[in-house]
Amino acid sequence: ATAHMVANPLSNFPECKGLMHGEKVAFGVVTQLCLDEDTDMDEMQEVVDFLISIGLPVTFADLNLEGITRDRLRVVAQACAGEGSLCHNHCFEVTEDGAIDAMIAADGMGRARKEALGLA
């Protein structure tokens, strides 16, 4: 659910116009894993490593959004936390600030895994 709620608003960012829907969804998958406090860290790393191995975006830089601010991310977070959002199907609450924090955590995880894999 979160994967698509992150991907869809990213389509409105000029920097992301050249990216395919699935590329934005990949970053949304990492974001969703970061939102769920029950996610196993080893499993998360496996997912991120797989996404990296097939060339999908796992960082803001990969999305052409390096240096993005919390304020700019708020539009994505509002879609995630807003009325009618697919995120409400999760077994955990999704708030605007939580979604922003999860996107920032996803970027951090992606950067850390790229570094661990010698790709940074």
Side-chain angles (χ1 to χ4, degrees):
T2 298
H4 287 275
M5 295 309 298
V6 167
N8 292 340
L10 285 177
S11 297
N12 296 322
F13 285 59
E15 301 92 334
C16 297
K17 290 289 185 189
L19 298 171
M20 292 186 287
H21 177 70
E23 291 174 306
K24 293 172 272 191
V25 169
F27 184 79
V29 166
V30 182
T31 299
Q32 181 170 321
L33 291 173
C34 290
L35 266 172
D36 186 352
E37 63 185 38
D38 292 331
T39 300
D40 179 80
M41 187 59 73
D42 291 334
E43 289 178 11
M44 186 185 313
Q45 288 178 352
E46 277 185 52
V47 170
V48 174
D49 289 355
F50 172 72
L51 294 173
I52 291 168
S53 76
I54 60 173
L56 290 172
V58 294
T59 66
F60 291 139
D62 294 341
L63 296 170
N64 304 314
L65 295 173
E66 190 166 22
I68 192 165
T69 65
R70 287 184 71 88
D71 282 344
R72 279 200 72 207
L73 290 172
R74 189 151 308 272
V75 69
V76 178
Q78 288 170 338
C80 291
E83 189 175 326
S85 170
L86 295 173
C87 294
H88 298 306
N89 292 313
H90 290 307
C91 59
F92 50 85
E93 183 180 15
V94 178
T95 64
E96 283 185 33
D97 285 332
I100 292 170
D101 291 344
M103 287 183 278
I104 291 169
D107 173 68
M109 170 64 78
R111 285 185 288 110
R113 294 311 302 155
K114 283 184 169 193
E115 186 174 322
L117 296 168
L119 301 173

